Amino acid sequence: MAQVSRDDIRNVAIVAHVDHGKTTLVDAMLRQTGSFGDHAHLGERLMDSGDLEREKGITILAKNTAIAYKGASANGKEITINVIDTPGHADFGGEVERGLSMVDGVVLLVDASEGPLPQTRFVLRKALEANLTVILLVNKTDRPDARIDEVVEETHDLLLGLASDIHEDVPDLDIDSILELPVIYASGRAGRASLNKPNDGEMPDSEDLEPLFAAILKHIPAPTYDDEAPLQAHVTNLDA
């Protein structure tokens, strides 16, 4: 049966090592698009809602939020960007896999100083095994110890190494797309992103996150469905 595309929707996960800035970036995306009510209390790390998450400063449970994007790249339409904020730790692998099953692509967020770390490898492997489109976002470019070029090269090496490891299990893995993946440079805390690489320790040259939204709309495939298929419900036990 013919598949129908929903061009007004994008489903994307933010994946990274622990404490590389995933949740802070989602905060900035929500703020820029006005996704809060006029009287909403805007704290920090809004997606880390659990007491333990706030205490430890990490994401434990995968969570989603819907961003109503109406910016320049939407061509006059309103695009719903469903964002899954996934854990960055192998101990919560079930949450990672559950989150990735809901999306069509991922934003791989890597710290501009620390680069890809062990948990980056774990989460990214899961994304490649699911054959998801990847956008690389180098975060915290304004860190005094940033080493942007080296981090991008290390991430490319990691991607190619993982692709080599899993190519037999994922025969239709698109190696060319891995070699040509788009790169965004950002400071999530400042709410700025750019396609232009800044100097180490400097802010991106854009004043907002529009380049990131544009990249998501351009590179993350729109979801497809069979409009003649029977209704299905994906039941998940969220809590015990």
Side-chain angles (χ1 to χ4, degrees):
M1 296 183 181
Q3 293 288 304
V4 181
S5 176
R6 284 292 303 267
D7 291 331
D8 60 332
I9 294 176
R10 295 295 187 278
N11 299 317
V12 61
I14 311 289
V15 300
H17 184 85
V18 172
D19 203 32
H20 275 194
K22 299 186 310 297
T23 306
T24 300
L25 177 68
V26 175
D27 285 1
M29 296 171 73
L30 290 166
R31 293 172 193 276
Q32 178 171 323
T33 53
S35 297
F36 299 104
D38 292 338
H39 304 293
H41 172 68
L42 306 185
E44 291 188 347
R45 295 182 18 248
L46 297 158
M47 295 285 276
D48 282 347
S49 54
D51 292 340
L52 184 59
E53 291 176 313
R54 288 193 169 276
E55 176 187 342
K56 300 296 184 182
I58 61 174
T59 299
I60 296 174
L61 297 175
K63 304 180 189 67
N64 72 288
T65 189
I67 295 174
Y69 173 74
K70 305 174 186 177
S73 300
N75 296 321
K77 299 189 300 180
E78 179 175 297
I79 309 293
T80 298
I81 303 175
N82 293 309
V83 178
I84 306 292
D85 183 16
T86 63
H89 199 288
D91 288 351
F92 312 118
E95 288 294 304
V96 172
E97 292 188 21
R98 184 169 69 85
L100 294 182
S101 73
M102 303 177 187
V103 300
D104 303 293
V106 301
V107 174
L108 170 62
L109 188 151
V110 180
D111 186 290
S113 171
E114 297 181 3
L117 294 176
Q119 304 305 340
T120 315
R121 180 183 183 88
F122 165 76
V123 180
L124 185 55
R125 183 187 182 99
K126 294 295 184 185
L128 292 180
E129 287 175 344
N131 215 1
L132 297 174
T133 300
V134 178
I135 295 173
L136 172 60
L137 186 142
V138 181
N139 195 33
K140 306 182 185 181
T141 62
D142 53 321
R143 282 187 59 156
D145 55 351
R147 47 186 193 92
I148 297 170
D149 286 334
E150 292 90 339
V151 165
V152 172
E153 184 175 349
E154 290 169 6
T155 305
H156 275 125
D157 289 345
L158 173 60
L159 281 160
L160 291 174
L162 289 172
S164 177
D165 289 345
I166 67 175
H167 76 279
E168 292 184 0
D169 298 324
V170 189
D172 56 344
L173 187 66
D174 189 349
I175 300 297
D176 289 338
S177 68
I178 293 175
L179 292 171
E180 299 171 1
L181 86 167
V183 181
I184 309 294
Y185 306 93
S187 170
R189 186 169 294 279
R192 298 171 64 166
S194 177
L195 293 172
N196 302 317
K197 181 176 72 69
N199 294 323
D200 289 342
E202 294 185 358
M203 284 282 188
D205 59 9
S206 174
E207 294 300 318
D208 56 25
L209 293 172
E210 176 60 30
L212 171 59
F213 287 116
I216 289 173
L217 296 190
K218 179 179 179 181
H219 297 288
I220 303 299
T224 59
Y225 67 99
D226 179 0
D227 62 352
E228 297 181 2
L231 175 67
Q232 291 181 308
H234 186 178
V235 179
T236 304
N237 181 19
L238 296 177
D239 206 348

